[in-house]
Each structure stands twice: as structure tokens, then as C-alpha cells.
Amino acid sequence: MKIIAREIPPRTVWALEQAGVHPLLARLFAARGVRAKEELDDGLARLLAPDTLRGTHEAAVLLADAIAQDKRLCIVADYDCDGATACAVGVRGLRLLGAKHVSYLVPDRVVDGYGLTPPIAERVADSGADMLITVDNGIASVEGVAAAKVRGLQVLVTDHHLPGPELPSADVLVNPNQPGCEFESKSIAGVGVMFYVLLALRSELRRRGVFDTPAPAAGPPQGGPASPSGGGEAHEVASRGAGKPQPKLDALLPLVALGTVADVVKLDANNRRLVAQGLRRIRAGSMPAGVAALFKAAGRNASVATTFDFGFALGPRINAAGRLADMTLGIECLLTDDAGRAEELARMLDGINRERRDIEGGMRDQALLLAESLFATDGEGIEAPPPAISVFDAGFHEGVVGIVASRIKDRFHRPTFVFAASGAPGKEQELKGSGRSIPGFHLRDALDLVAKRHPGVLLRFGGHAMAAGCTVAREHFETFEKGFAQVAGEWLAEAALTRQIETDGPISREYMRIDLVDTLHREVWGQGFAPPTFSEEVEVVSQRLVGEKHLSLKLRHQGQPIDAIWFSHTEPLPPRVKLAFRLDADEWQGVRRLRFLVEGAEF
């Protein structure tokens, strides 16, 4: 492992400080590419305009016509947290905007597989729906969309995944990654795409006189519970119509924030604004009953909610339903306005998540053994993993392969696929794999090359640069394993195979304060806008294992004692070592103390 410090442009730091940004935050923001204080403005008026997202106008017209004609709308969701929140946003938003008949259907991970398949399209048509709307899926569902069209359904695809060589023949496609789309935020999550469609729909209904046009704001919203303008809407003519007062869509922002962070998309400026707005409302107690119940079930305090809560507390509980049970539980939790029902569903999701952790633990241990069996001895007699890792065991659960792949990837710093036998009837000889990648290795492009070099091996595949999925016949697993490792060996230089931790360098003693920990936690951090991590050489005064798998440390940092903990690490450290760490507040018997959360060490 190598610890490296980010470049921190001093002039930018100075400019941010002069603009009133706290010196520590100025340093952190400058290192993450922020150049001016205006970029930190998370007001709703700063959101990218909906009309720059290709297809939103056409989608708005399609939906407005459907509402006017009292058509039946059915949303087809994905079975992860992004899909669940996108579904909840779609159902809640469409009902707010006047749709009387809105239902949803979420595929079963085992039986149906991913996306809009022809059987799913048939089920939607049989339900009596007039329009099928996909959220967080559909851009690769060429056959599913075709089947829906044959049955006479109108089809609106909203998605954010990369398209394949052929686009589906939907009535409207809304996807920032489709050809010809100039929307700047290519990393927007599926839930964000659906939110933007609703903003465009409200604008269209306002144009038709269904809702009043709001008077122009005197300035950018300051974060109170205002109705999102969606950028371009803020500049419309301010004359009031004869319609009803327009609904406020800000109530959906906590769900948009949760799905955005849980899907681990890059937190570019637009995504950070969406997340910041959602967090602001949650901290103020304004959130759906299900979100509040999930905070309670996770033992987290919503009044000081952070992106960490989304990614490691709420998100996994919703995802667990799609992995082991039925994502309908997660969606219903996000849809209900009954606090009692929400708490009941949140407790169920918490129980499923505990079961998921138990299954994951056993799978992880077995997967580690299988991965280590692939190690080869180099010229110096040191065992090293191959350029990429693919493992399969007949006892693996297909709902947990993605999590285990992430754990193996983190352990060995290699692109990793973990496979399980399909549980779908008649497909027992198919293996479903989930992959996770490392920086510099585009997973979906690698799968595409494997498919071209070994025709027929990959039955299906799709995904992103850092996460992807695929299906192979059991008899072709070894061919895939070798082909995938070959591509990784060709694409990855030796330096890329050494795990690196980017840090913000040393931290001054003056910033070692509990109040600054709270200041840091209030900001929006995540994928592509990494949480603050510092690095320095420290003295290890004492160390011991706690809970059999965590290393508790007493350190001396810049001559001062400080406690630290390294979760899921058991190997002892030398007397002096360079550590990468985050600042945290540990509470014991009502007293809060500063401590380090260790992320890595360079020996």
C-alpha cells in the first residue's frame, strides 16, 4: 500500500479563505477541484436545468397527456436502493402532479433477472396499464421494450446506465448517457433522472394552465423547504395562471439524496446539490415516514444525518430486501405515510439485513480462500494475486455476490467477479456474476472485450466502469476467468495494481477539535468527492484486538496522545508507522472524544 497526498493549489485555498470559507474546508475543497465559493452554493436555483437533459420535454408531454386522459401508469423498478428510491419518487411525484392511477412492479432478482424483460412487459400489460415507465433500468432492454410495444403499451425509459449498441424503441428515452445528450451531470443516479422528469412534467402542466406559475424568487433559495426550480424554471415568465397552486417537489429530495449516495455515483456539483438539499430537510425533520423509520432501525440520529448514514446504514437495509427477499418491502417502506407501518417495515428490513450480513460473512471467507488459490509465486518467491480475480462456489447466494466482490477487491486491490449459480427455474446451469473494479480499469468495457474474444461465453452483461454484472454458462466459467484476467493483465500497469490511498496530508493540531469533526461531517462527501483523510507518521504506544477483528490503538500524534481504531484489521503495527486516517468523535458515557479512524498504513 502506498499513501500519497493530494495536490493542494495554494492560490485557490487563499481565494476560498478570502471568500469566507473555513481554512480547513478551503484546503479540502481546493484539493477536490473546487475553484470558487460559488461552486459550493447548493441552492436549488443552481441545479442544472431540466431542459438540458435530453428527452425530458418529450417525457413531460407524454406524461401530461396521460394524466389528462386518466391513463394507468406502471413503473418498473430495479431491485437496488437507487431503483427503490427512484420508484418511490416516481409514484409519489406522479400522484402529486395529478396522476390517479399509478402502480409499480419490481422484478425478482432470482426469477426475473435485471431490467425490463419480455415477461415483465407482459405482466405490466396484463395488469391493465396503458403506459410503462422504467426507473434505473431500461436503456439496454431492447427486447423488453419491443414486447411492451407489441402489447400496445406506451413506454418511457428513464435510466442512467451506459447504453448498448442498440437503443430500445421506447416512445421516449431519458438518459444523460444516451447519444446526443448534453446534460453535464453524466453521473446522475436513476433517482435523479426520475426527479428531473418530474420537474419537467410540472413545468409542462404549468404551461398548460393546470398549475399556477410561481412568482420569480428574489434570489437563490437559501435551503429552506422551497419548491425546486430545476434551474431553467426560475427564469420563466412570472404571470400567474388560473390553475391550482403547483405542488412542491422538495418533499422528494430526501429520497433523491438517499438513492444518489447509496448508488455510489460520482458526487459532481449537481449531485452534491441534490444530496445537500435532501440532507438539509432530513436534519430539519422533514422526510418520508419510511426514511425516519430506517434511521431509527439503524440506530442513527436523523437530526445530524450524513452521507455516511445513507451509504452504510439506510442504503444496505433497503438493498437487503432486493438481495434476499422482495424489494417491494423496501419500496413500500419509502411510500407509506403511516409512521407505525413504516416502523414495522423498517424492522423487517433491518432483520433481512442482519441475515444478509451472516450470509456475507461465510461467503467472504470462502471467496478469500478461493482467491488465494489463484495466487502465483513471482521471481522473488512472493505470492501475488493475478491481474483480476474470478471465483465461484456452488454454495454462494446470488443476492450477495456484489458485496463479496467488493470485499475481495478491497482486500487484494484487483478487479473482481464473484459468481453464484442462478436460482431461476430452468437456469440452474447459468452462473450470475457481479464485479467490482479498481481505478483505471473500466469493467463494462473489459466485459465487452471478453465477449468479442470469446463469443458465446457471456450470455448477458452490463454496468459501469466500477461495477458490472454478467451471466455465463457454468461450463464456460474457466474460459471467462482466464479471458477476464488476460484483459486485466493487458490494461493494468504494475503501478495500478498497487493500492494507493489519496490523503489530504498532515493535519495541524489546531484542527484536532470535536467541533471541527462535526463541521466536516455536515459536508457532502462520497464517490468522486472523497471524505477528508489525513496522513502522518505516528508513534504506536500500545495496540490490542477488540471484538477479535478490530485493532484498537493508542498513538502519539505530534507529541500528543490520541486513540485510534482500525476496523477489520488484525495485524500488529510497528512502533512508528505512517497512517492514513479520518477524524471521528467517539462517545462513551455521554462524553465525546476525538479519535482516528485508520484507513491504511504504509510500512
Side-chain angles (χ1 to χ4, degrees):
M1 178 183 293
K2 186 173 181 59
I3 296 175
I4 58 175
R6 296 182 178 89
E7 289 189 13
I8 304 175
R11 291 188 178 181
T12 304
V13 176
W14 180 85
L16 290 172
E17 287 183 15
Q18 293 300 302
V21 178
H22 186 283
L24 177 58
L25 289 175
R27 172 182 156 195
L28 297 173
F29 291 150
R32 285 154 182 78
V34 175
R35 293 292 173 262
K37 187 179 181 180
E38 291 71 31
E39 297 176 40
L40 301 172
D41 181 359
D42 59 18
L44 293 168
R46 296 279 296 182
L47 288 175
L48 296 173
D51 57 15
T52 63
L53 179 56
R54 184 175 185 180
T56 51
H57 173 69
E58 293 80 1
V61 172
L62 189 72
L63 289 168
D65 288 346
I67 292 172
Q69 297 164 22
D70 206 22
K71 288 187 176 181
R72 296 181 178 274
L73 315 177
C74 181
I75 295 175
V76 175
D78 186 21
Y79 39 67
D80 67 358
C81 188
D82 186 18
T85 51
C87 182
V89 164
V91 172
R92 284 181 173 274
L94 288 169
R95 289 174 179 170
L96 273 173
L97 295 172
K100 297 177 182 177
H101 310 289
V102 186
S103 61
Y104 71 89
L105 187 156
V106 58
D108 182 283
R109 180 188 293 265
V110 175
V111 177
D112 300 308
Y114 172 77
L116 174 62
T117 61
I120 291 291
E122 294 290 338
R123 284 162 60 186
V124 172
D126 290 343
S127 74
D130 302 302
M131 181 187 295
L132 187 158
I133 305 165
T134 71
V135 291
D136 193 32
N137 75 94
I139 196 64
S141 302
V142 175
E143 295 178 355
V145 170
K149 298 294 291 180
V150 167
R151 289 295 302 271
L153 290 168
Q154 291 182 300
V155 181
L156 165 60
V157 167
T158 75
D159 199 355
H160 69 126
H161 294 92
L162 297 174
E166 180 183 357
L167 293 176
S169 57
D171 291 87
V172 179
L173 294 175
V174 184
N175 184 329
N177 291 301
Q178 68 176 305
C181 184
E182 298 179 357
F183 193 67
E184 291 179 20
S185 180
K186 299 299 183 183
S187 299
I188 191 170
V191 65
V193 174
M194 188 63 220
F195 182 68
Y196 263 77
V197 169
L198 294 172
L199 290 175
L201 172 58
R202 188 179 63 178
S203 180
E204 173 65 18
L205 292 172
R206 199 166 58 235
R207 188 188 67 79
R208 297 184 182 197
V210 176
F211 301 127
D212 284 341
T213 299
Q222 297 303 309
S227 180
S229 67
E233 292 189 14
H235 307 293
E236 292 183 357
V237 178
S239 60
R240 297 183 65 81
K244 300 174 292 185
Q246 70 169 6
K248 293 182 178 181
L249 298 178
D250 69 295
L252 305 175
L253 286 165
L255 297 173
V256 176
L258 169 57
T260 298
V261 174
D263 209 44
V264 202
V265 295
K266 180 182 178 182
L267 292 186
D268 57 24
N270 204 63
N271 280 339
R272 292 203 309 277
R273 290 184 184 110
L274 290 171
V275 173
Q277 289 288 335
L279 278 173
R280 186 167 294 158
R281 285 157 176 79
I282 289 173
R283 290 167 183 165
S286 178
M287 70 195 101
V291 174
L294 286 166
F295 269 97
K296 183 177 179 181
R300 310 295 296 181
N301 184 355
S303 68
V304 290
T306 68
T307 51
F308 180 90
D309 294 320
F310 289 156
F312 295 94
L314 276 67
R317 284 167 171 78
I318 295 174
N319 278 328
R323 296 185 188 281
L324 301 185
D326 181 358
M327 183 49 90
T328 300
L329 292 172
I331 295 173
E332 283 300 309
C333 183
L334 300 176
L335 283 177
T336 184
D337 293 318
D338 183 316
R341 176 63 174 157
E343 289 195 9
E344 177 187 1
L345 289 167
R347 285 194 297 270
M348 293 174 65
L349 293 171
D350 185 61
I352 296 170
N353 191 51
R354 292 176 190 275
E355 180 185 356
R356 184 272 304 170
R357 285 201 297 258
D358 290 340
I359 294 172
E360 177 198 336
M363 280 181 57
R364 182 183 62 246
D365 293 343
Q366 177 63 13
L368 284 170
L369 291 174
L370 291 170
E372 288 170 352
S373 71
L374 302 174
F375 283 24
T377 303
D378 63 17
E380 299 178 358
I382 300 174
E383 287 193 337
I389 294 172
S390 302
V391 295
F392 160 69
D393 186 271
F396 285 175
H397 191 296
E398 63 180 284
V400 189
V401 288
I403 300 176
V404 175
S406 181
R407 303 289 188 260
I408 302 301
K409 181 266 297 182
D410 289 343
R411 178 71 173 269
F412 300 119
H413 194 68
R414 294 292 190 274
T416 300
F417 262 94
V418 176
F419 287 85
S422 172
K427 296 187 176 181
E428 293 80 4
Q429 293 306 308
E430 291 186 1
L431 304 183
K432 289 186 177 180
S434 187
R436 299 294 184 269
S437 193
I438 62 175
F441 189 77
H442 196 296
L443 209 52
R444 186 192 174 280
D445 287 355
L447 289 177
D448 187 53
L449 184 54
V450 172
K452 290 173 180 174
R453 287 180 173 177
H454 305 279
V457 168
L458 283 169
L459 303 177
R460 292 174 293 279
F461 70 91
H464 300 290
M466 302 303 288
C470 67
T471 303
V472 303
R474 188 180 297 221
E475 61 183 353
H476 292 150
F477 170 72
E478 188 174 337
T479 302
F480 172 84
E481 177 192 348
K482 292 179 179 178
F484 182 55
Q486 181 183 5
V487 172
E490 294 168 358
W491 288 6
L492 288 168
E494 188 64 32
L497 295 174
T498 300
R499 186 185 176 206
Q500 294 183 342
I501 296 184
E502 250 191 332
T503 76
D504 298 289
I507 182 168
S508 171
R509 288 295 306 177
E510 65 179 304
Y511 298 139
M512 299 278 287
R513 307 196 314 263
I514 287 289
D515 65 307
L516 279 180
V517 173
D518 295 335
T519 297
L520 294 178
H521 284 181
R522 280 193 294 269
E523 298 296 328
V524 173
W525 312 104
Q527 183 70 25
F529 205 78
T533 304
F534 306 97
S535 58
E536 280 180 81
E537 186 174 287
V538 298
E539 177 186 349
V540 179
V541 178
S542 67
Q543 51 189 312
R544 63 186 178 89
L545 284 179
V546 294
E548 298 184 356
K549 58 180 180 179
H550 311 304
L551 192 61
S552 177
L553 301 161
K554 290 191 179 297
L555 308 174
R556 193 169 298 278
H557 168 261
Q558 297 182 12
Q560 299 297 317
I562 184 78
D563 289 340
I565 189 162
W566 192 347
F567 289 114
S568 301
H569 182 90
T570 58
E571 298 175 12
L573 298 177
R576 294 198 66 84
V577 63
K578 185 177 183 180
L579 295 181
F581 56 88
R582 291 187 289 118
L583 298 184
D584 187 48
D586 181 35
E587 186 168 338
W588 175 251
Q589 296 182 339
V591 178
R592 300 178 75 214
R593 297 178 302 168
L594 191 74
R595 71 171 176 179
F596 291 168
L597 294 182
V598 180
E599 297 286 309
E602 182 178 287
F603 300 100

